[in-house]
Amino acid sequence: MSQNTFKYDKDFKLESGEKLKGFTLAYSTYGKLNKDKSNVIWICHALTANSDAESWWPGLIGKDMLFDPAKYFIVCANILGSPYGSTGPLSVNPATGKPFFHDFPFITVRDIVASLDLLRQNLGIEEIDTAMGGSLGGQQALEWSIMQPDLIKHVVVVASSSVSSPWGIAFRESQRMAIAADPTWKESTPEAGQAGLKVARSIALLSYRNYITYGQTQKEDSDDKVNDFKASSYQRYQGEKLLKRSFNAYSYWTLSKVMDTQNVGRGRGGVQKALAGVKAKVLAIGISSDILFPVSESKFIAQNVAQGTYEEINSLYGHDGFLLEAPKLTYIIQRFYQKIMKTPKIGLFGLGCVGQGFYELSRLQTPTATPSKIVVRNQLKNREAESNLLSFDKDEVLNDEDTNLVVEVIDNSKDAIEIVRKALKVGKNVVTANKKMIVENYPELLALQEKTGAGLLYEAAVCASIPILRTIDSYFSQEPISSIRGLCNGTSNYILTAVYNRGWDYSVALAEAQRLGFAESDPTLDVESYDARFKLIILTLHGFGMLANTDNVFCYGISNIHPSDIKFAKAADYKIRQVVQAYKVADGKISMWVTPQFVGPSDPLYHVDNEFNGITIDAEHSGTQFFSGRGAGSYPTGAAVLSDVHASLAGFKYRYEKYRSNNGLTLSNDTEIEVYLRSPNEKVLEQVPLKNKETYGKSFATGKLKLSELMKLKPLLEKEKVFLASLPFSTDPAKSAAQELADAQIAKEALHLR
């Protein structure tokens, strides 16, 4: 927290017509103003509070709380009349050189707000994201949204009113009568009226709580008591407590009169007309047991502003509930922000295969999630979308303050990161399907989410229709995972299925995948396993908490597959699939790789055909779980994007719990895997240092290699168009190497059947 003082040296004209010869406001700030000055939370305090909002509103402001200084610039100022450093009755009157005492001018809620606005200007704040307060603080926030309708985006008014009720005025007048009844009140000394102030505070407590509250908290333990009741000592204690906080009778008198002045309709044609002019989205929160500001007053505010929401806290604590019910307040305010997001303005970048699928599904299933703007590059291309939605300027969306969710589904990772980076920096949530962009920029994207509080979701980037990331992030957030293994590239799986089931050559199967929209015109990312490697890195980050460098993860593609490889697989009743694999090894390390792999009938991946994906998770307590679903195509991937959009609107964010508590996990390439090699050039196999090497004819060989060795050999193998596949591999640490070899022997023997 930073404590500061703002001094205004000019004449300050009050609503009454009187003037203050300048004034001082003591104020506190938490956090830092971000670059575009869009993260301001302004807290307005109640009658006897001060600028240290974190202390009197515990549970709402602070690290990892609703208003976290790491994300927001939070301002709270001691208001005019306050005894805590701002100009008030004990300040020196420039006209006399002595304290004002009883001569402090009459001020109103509007005067207080006008002074706060001068402080706001001095701080260079041009926009307040949320102005919030309870009781007198809520009156200030509401009045401010009327006086400056274009300044504040959200207003949260807790246990407050648009007009001070006769009931409230009567309570406060009784308190002032108690002060006036104190013989010392007529004296011009700082201590004047202290006895009366104690009584005034005691009267106030009766309005802050209620019959039921006192019945539960001050009830006697014995039926025999006739004197010195708990309720009596409690009332006396509250009066003494206020004096110990250095509050004085003059400030109490002044600020209680300020509360009486609340009437937003004064001089504006009535209360309803004034409220109708509020442009901010308003959350009015009532407290069920509040007798000072009954819930009807909060409901009235919500019903008469243009964008109002009413919520109610069920509390036993009466008016004081706004200070004591921080968890309930937090939940309600979070839900308010989420409700705003549920009527979103969405900007879509890209209208290719995935973008078109998302656009069509959003229109059919959830019109509220339909993009309001679609940014595309080629102005001449015919689009299956309404022309008024199309835009060719990305800044039209990114600079639009009302666009609160960006959906990025273009195929260029360099352009994609520019879009996502800018959106996150200004606090817009993002949904993307670009796994290459994510992996290449992971550290920056994680840091931006942490800094701005914006969320980035990318379920569609991994397994299309399978909600694997949300499952890992939520269901397995606290459970250790031992391995993740599966098929997560629908293009390669479609090609390998066609080659195996239909006997097509690789080139024919690829062409059909491209015709069906399962493969791009340049299929390199898919068929050479780069796409699957990006996905595996994402899965490993969420599943294990380790972020791997792309260049350190071995991958090998399927483009060199030949009918003889299929013949070998069929002879042993195996299929060839492009498999991603990551598992824990000893000493806090993770091994991971992507290769074609032979899978048998007992393997769930054996039964995943065509463009479908399948993922197996082995967890310490939950055992083995298998997930399958469509992994390619416009609608399956578009549906995953749409699901992420709805999750984002509901407030879901990845928690990255395992990444935050990584425990030193690192990547290991020392793992030996058993591989099958077939080479058109028999001399190539002689250059491969296979351990336990066995050759079959001149073109085939099997044996073990470390992942690090495979990475060094990869350029040679690709150049010579060698087909490489891993033989059946167990991630079960209890399974011996001998057993693994025995399993693999089935495949070796099949070589003799070709």
Side-chain angles (χ1 to χ4, degrees):
M1 178 180 71
S2 175
Q3 294 180 308
N4 308 274
T5 300
F6 166 60
K7 292 185 178 180
Y8 185 72
D9 296 327
K10 301 177 182 179
D11 285 351
F12 181 62
K13 187 175 181 180
L14 302 171
E15 191 179 359
S16 65
E18 292 186 78
K19 292 180 181 179
L20 274 173
K21 296 289 185 179
F23 63 82
T24 296
L25 291 182
Y27 67 96
S28 300
T29 63
Y30 308 77
K32 295 181 180 179
L33 194 62
N34 61 11
K35 188 175 181 180
D36 61 0
K37 303 179 181 180
S38 62
N39 66 332
V40 177
I41 306 294
W42 199 295
I43 305 295
C44 300
H45 72 70
L47 193 151
T48 64
N50 54 43
S51 68
D52 186 6
E54 188 175 12
S55 66
W56 57 261
W57 223 338
L60 205 68
I61 301 163
K63 187 177 183 298
D64 296 327
M65 295 178 187
L66 177 65
F67 296 123
D68 189 337
K71 300 176 183 178
Y72 298 106
F73 181 59
I74 304 163
V75 184
C76 184
N78 291 309
I79 58 177
L80 290 178
S82 161
Y84 299 124
S86 295
T87 297
L90 297 188
S91 301
V92 174
N93 182 348
T96 65
K98 298 178 181 180
F100 283 100
F101 293 130
H102 299 91
D103 294 330
F104 190 73
F106 180 82
I107 59 174
T108 68
V109 173
R110 294 185 191 180
D111 294 329
I112 288 175
V113 171
S115 69
L116 295 179
D117 197 65
L118 288 171
L119 169 60
R120 186 268 306 174
Q121 295 173 44
N122 180 259
L123 293 173
I125 295 171
E126 298 175 355
E127 172 188 278
I128 296 174
D129 180 86
T130 301
M132 177 178 176
S135 194
L136 173 57
Q139 292 177 336
Q140 296 167 53
L142 184 62
E143 177 63 38
W144 207 347
S145 71
I146 297 170
M147 291 174 66
Q148 297 277 354
D150 296 315
L151 173 67
I152 304 171
K153 294 177 66 176
H154 310 102
V155 174
V156 180
V157 179
V158 189
S160 193
S161 66
S162 56
V163 178
S164 277
S165 67
W167 173 252
I169 294 171
F171 257 113
R172 290 185 290 274
E173 183 64 23
S174 297
Q175 295 164 48
R176 291 190 291 270
M177 289 170 65
I179 293 173
D182 183 339
T184 67
W185 176 239
K186 296 178 181 180
E187 301 172 4
S188 293
T189 64
E191 297 78 20
Q194 286 188 351
L197 177 59
K198 293 179 185 179
V199 179
R201 185 64 170 175
S202 176
I203 296 170
L205 258 292
L206 297 176
S207 67
Y208 296 163
R209 301 297 174 91
N210 55 53
Y211 178 89
I212 296 175
T213 310
Y214 274 82
Q216 291 197 354
T217 62
Q218 307 304 322
K219 185 178 180 180
E220 298 300 331
D221 300 326
S222 170
D223 293 332
D224 300 326
K225 204 162 193 179
V226 295
N227 201 358
D228 295 326
F229 295 104
K230 286 183 179 180
S232 300
S233 60
Y234 179 72
Q235 296 302 101
R236 290 193 297 270
Y237 164 74
Q238 290 297 332
E240 293 287 350
K241 183 179 176 182
L242 186 62
L243 283 182
K244 289 179 180 179
R245 287 170 44 201
S246 301
F247 218 89
N248 64 77
Y250 301 100
S251 287
Y252 200 93
W253 183 288
T254 298
L255 295 180
S256 70
K257 294 287 283 187
V258 167
M259 291 188 74
D260 291 355
T261 71
Q262 172 74 344
N263 188 326
V264 299
R266 185 171 61 251
R268 294 170 176 152
V271 177
Q272 289 176 305
K273 185 176 180 180
L275 291 176
V278 174
K279 294 183 179 180
K281 297 176 176 68
V282 177
L283 171 62
I285 303 174
I287 297 174
S288 60
S289 56
D290 191 348
I291 62 171
L292 184 59
F293 291 88
V295 296
S296 58
E297 298 193 333
S298 296
K299 289 179 180 179
F300 181 84
I301 294 170
Q303 291 166 354
N304 286 279
V305 294
Q307 301 179 81
T309 299
Y310 172 74
E311 294 281 0
E312 188 169 310
I313 291 176
N314 184 19
S315 173
L316 295 174
Y317 299 113
H319 185 61
D320 270 354
F322 87 88
L323 294 170
L324 301 175
E325 300 282 13
K328 295 178 181 179
L329 266 178
T330 296
Y331 175 76
I332 286 174
I333 296 169
Q334 285 177 330
R335 189 165 63 186
F336 167 63
Y337 288 140
Q338 292 165 12
K339 181 180 179 181
I340 293 169
M341 291 296 290
K342 286 180 181 178
T343 54
K345 188 175 183 183
I346 299 173
L348 171 63
F349 288 80
L351 200 59
C353 178
V354 177
Q356 190 69 45
F358 163 69
Y359 170 67
E360 292 179 9
L361 288 172
S362 66
R363 293 183 67 194
L364 288 170
Q365 298 177 6
T366 51
T368 56
T370 301
S372 58
K373 278 295 175 186
I374 304 173
V375 182
V376 294
R377 176 176 293 175
N378 189 343
Q379 300 188 31
L380 301 178
K381 183 177 179 179
N382 290 327
R383 308 282 181 178
E384 294 185 24
E386 297 177 31
S387 59
N388 65 301
L389 297 181
L390 299 180
S391 172
F392 308 101
D393 179 8
K394 66 179 184 296
D395 289 332
E396 182 180 357
V397 170
L398 294 174
N399 293 338
D400 178 27
E401 293 183 358
D402 292 329
T403 297
N404 44 33
L405 179 60
V406 166
V407 177
E408 181 282 308
V409 287
I410 64 177
D411 60 3
N412 184 305
S413 63
K414 291 183 178 179
D415 291 342
I417 186 57
E418 289 185 13
I419 293 166
V420 173
R421 179 186 292 128
K422 186 168 184 178
L424 290 175
K425 281 184 176 179
V426 297
K428 299 182 191 297
N429 289 340
V430 177
V431 170
T432 182
N434 197 319
K435 75 285 297 181
K436 185 174 187 289
M437 179 273 295
I438 294 167
V439 171
E440 289 176 341
N441 300 279
Y442 239 143
E444 179 186 4
L445 294 173
L446 292 169
L448 279 172
Q449 292 177 80
E450 183 72 22
K451 180 179 180 180
T452 67
L456 173 67
L457 300 183
Y458 39 84
E459 192 73 68
V462 180
C463 286
S465 65
I466 305 175
I468 194 66
L469 290 184
R470 233 174 290 163
T471 300
I472 291 174
D473 194 81
S474 300
Y475 187 81
F476 292 104
S477 64
Q478 302 300 322
E479 182 173 4
I481 291 176
S482 57
S483 74
I484 298 175
R485 177 175 174 271
L487 315 175
C488 56
N489 185 274
T491 300
S492 292
N493 209 46
Y494 179 85
I495 292 170
L496 291 172
T497 301
V499 169
Y500 187 94
N501 290 349
R502 304 178 190 178
W504 290 354
D505 284 340
Y506 167 80
S507 58
V508 175
L510 171 60
E512 181 65 6
Q514 290 171 322
R515 187 187 71 82
L516 293 172
F518 298 151
E520 302 289 340
S521 56
D522 179 1
T524 303
L525 281 176
D526 294 320
V527 300
E528 299 304 335
S529 297
Y530 300 126
D531 174 86
R533 180 170 62 177
F534 290 134
K535 295 174 177 179
L536 178 60
I537 289 171
I538 294 173
L539 286 167
T540 304
L541 175 81
H542 284 264
F544 298 99
M546 185 195 74
L547 177 56
N549 185 299
T550 308
D551 294 335
N552 295 333
V553 179
F554 177 70
C555 70
Y556 203 83
I558 67 169
S559 59
N560 294 331
I561 197 166
H562 185 269
S564 60
D565 303 315
I566 300 301
K567 184 177 180 181
F568 156 64
K570 284 187 173 182
D573 197 16
Y574 275 73
K575 292 180 180 179
I576 299 174
R577 292 288 183 261
Q578 183 197 72
V579 177
V580 303
Q581 197 154 312
Y583 77 106
K584 283 184 181 178
V585 293
D587 301 325
K589 295 185 181 296
I590 303 290
S591 279
M592 52 195 295
W593 67 92
V594 186
T595 62
Q597 188 173 117
F598 293 100
V599 298
S602 62
D603 190 328
L605 302 183
Y606 180 91
H607 307 284
V608 180
D609 287 336
N610 298 312
E611 74 277 16
F612 280 72
N613 283 174
I615 292 288
T616 298
I617 294 177
D618 287 313
E620 185 174 308
H621 307 301
S622 304
T624 301
Q625 298 194 30
F626 177 66
F627 306 84
S628 181
R630 293 186 185 277
S634 179
Y635 282 172
T637 312
V641 172
L642 182 59
S643 177
D644 265 355
V645 165
H646 283 285
S648 180
L649 298 179
F652 177 81
K653 296 178 182 178
Y654 297 134
R655 292 181 288 184
Y656 299 108
E657 290 191 18
K658 292 185 177 178
Y659 177 70
R660 296 177 192 275
S661 57
N662 172 261
N663 296 322
L665 289 174
T666 57
L667 179 66
S668 171
N669 280 320
D670 291 333
T671 301
E672 284 186 337
I673 64 173
E674 192 156 19
V675 295
Y676 158 95
L677 300 171
R678 179 197 47 77
S679 174
N681 181 352
E682 59 190 67
K683 293 183 180 180
V684 173
L685 296 182
E686 297 173 3
Q687 301 178 51
V688 180
L690 287 165
K691 184 179 177 181
N692 300 332
K693 181 177 181 180
E694 295 188 34
T695 58
Y696 304 88
K698 297 180 179 180
S699 301
F700 299 85
T702 61
K704 284 190 173 184
L705 286 168
K706 288 185 177 181
L707 290 170
S708 57
E709 294 174 316
L710 283 168
M711 294 182 76
K712 293 178 181 178
L713 288 166
K714 183 178 177 180
L716 171 67
L717 300 179
E718 289 183 332
K719 178 182 177 182
E720 297 295 336
K721 299 190 181 303
V722 174
F723 180 71
L724 176 150
S726 55
L727 293 177
F729 184 90
S730 172
T731 61
D732 183 356
K735 198 169 187 179
S736 68
Q739 184 60 51
E740 292 172 10
L741 287 172
D743 292 343
Q745 191 64 31
I746 300 172
K748 293 179 186 177
E749 292 172 356
L751 289 168
H752 299 289
L753 302 176
R754 56 185 172 81

